[in-house]
Amino acid sequence: MLHLADMAKTLETEHKSLTIHDLPPAERPRERLQSMGAEALSAQEILALILGRGISGESVTVTAQRLLSRFGGLKGIAAASLEELAEVRGIGLAKASQIIAAVELAKRVDGYSESAGKIPLKTPEDMVGVVQGRLKEKKKEYFLAILLDTRGQLIRVAEISVGSLDTSIVHPREVFKEAISASASSIVFVHNHPSGDTQPSDEDIALTKRLCQAGEIVGINVLDHIITGGKSFASLKRQGLF
């Protein structure tokens, strides 16, 4: 018969969270990455590295596979919301946040142009190229401000609001506070329509005109307001709507 202390130790071992280190060395994603490169890892192994730890009695690789099965692969995981990810057994809000952050980082890298800060951004196509990674497949509306210097070069992209677009959320005070802080000379607004329809609404046009008026007051030129959706976009300036 086991001593009570030994029984307690056994139970503690059985119920602890399994980590990548509990796998045989040859099967550990971290070691495989170091010896063979990231390209050699499967989607399951990459997810396991991001998650780091499984749950009681379950390897982290099993948790990673559950995610892939639940959402049909990496694309489904990338499109899932924080709440949807957190509902999966073994994930929770903390790990769901890690996944969301990893996906967002990849999107920003994908949408970042190395030359964006070195040459002037002149056309709507240039502007969309700067932010497309951030807005790709978003399920909510994001309102961004592209801040430019006196040469039309990118200073940075500021996220103004997330959610349904209206004048109570996108207030000129918040928009131009970012621009003034960055010493921007001009500004381009970009927001997405998750539906994929890029046709500007009456509210979009009215908001743009209001922001243009505010820009005149503070001396920051509003160059354009671009609406993205799917693989297309619409430039309000190009359409002569303001």
Side-chain angles (χ1 to χ4, degrees), residues 105-113 129 132-133 136:
L105 180 62
K107 288 180 178 179
R108 294 192 185 191
V109 169
D110 181 57
Y112 176 73
S113 170
Q132 62 184 355
K136 187 178 180 181

Side-chain angles (χ1 to χ4, degrees), residues 26-231:
E27 297 179 14
R28 295 174 187 172
R30 185 177 297 116
E31 281 72 8
R32 279 173 43 77
L33 183 149
Q34 292 170 353
S35 62
M36 303 177 67
E39 297 82 1
L41 300 185
S42 66
Q44 181 183 11
E45 290 173 317
I46 292 171
L47 277 173
L49 279 174
I50 293 171
L51 296 175
R53 181 179 293 274
I55 58 176
S56 177
E58 179 177 283
S59 167
V60 64
T61 57
V62 176
T63 307
Q65 184 55 50
R66 182 181 295 116
L67 267 176
L68 290 166
S69 299
R70 167 67 176 78
F71 295 103
L74 288 176
K75 188 173 182 179
I77 292 173
S81 67
L82 179 71
E83 294 76 14
E84 289 171 333
L85 291 169
E87 290 175 353
V88 176
R89 180 172 178 266
I91 301 301
L93 285 174
K95 290 178 182 176
S97 298
Q98 291 172 210
I99 295 169
I100 292 288
V103 170
E104 182 64 21
L105 180 62
K107 288 180 178 179
R108 294 192 185 191
V109 169
D110 181 57
Y112 176 73
S113 170
E114 289 292 343
S115 62
K118 300 176 183 178
I119 63 174
L121 303 176
K122 297 180 179 180
T123 68
E125 287 79 8
D126 293 338
M127 306 301 172
V128 172
V130 171
V131 300
Q132 62 184 355
R134 294 194 184 196
L135 299 178
K136 187 178 180 181
E137 298 179 357
K138 292 292 188 184
K139 294 182 178 181
K140 295 181 180 179
E141 289 194 15
Y142 283 69
F143 190 91
L144 308 177
I146 300 176
L147 309 179
L148 305 171
D149 63 18
T150 55
R151 296 182 179 181
Q153 297 176 343
L154 177 66
I155 299 174
R156 65 184 176 88
V157 178
E159 183 177 293
I160 306 302
S161 71
V162 180
S164 298
L165 189 62
D166 59 51
T167 54
S168 65
I169 295 179
V170 184
H171 194 283
R173 179 180 60 250
E174 300 303 320
V175 173
F176 289 99
K177 178 179 70 175
E178 295 282 353
I180 293 170
S181 174
S183 299
S185 176
S186 57
I187 190 169
V188 174
F189 303 117
V190 184
H191 84 273
N192 63 311
H193 282 177
S195 66
D197 180 7
T198 58
Q199 181 65 30
S201 66
D202 292 341
E203 290 77 12
D204 293 333
I205 298 170
L207 175 61
T208 305
K209 291 179 178 178
R210 185 182 182 207
L211 292 174
C212 283
Q213 292 172 352
E216 290 177 1
I217 293 172
V218 298
I220 297 176
N221 188 25
V222 176
L223 299 179
D224 204 347
H225 183 177
I226 299 170
I227 300 172
T228 68
K231 296 182 179 180

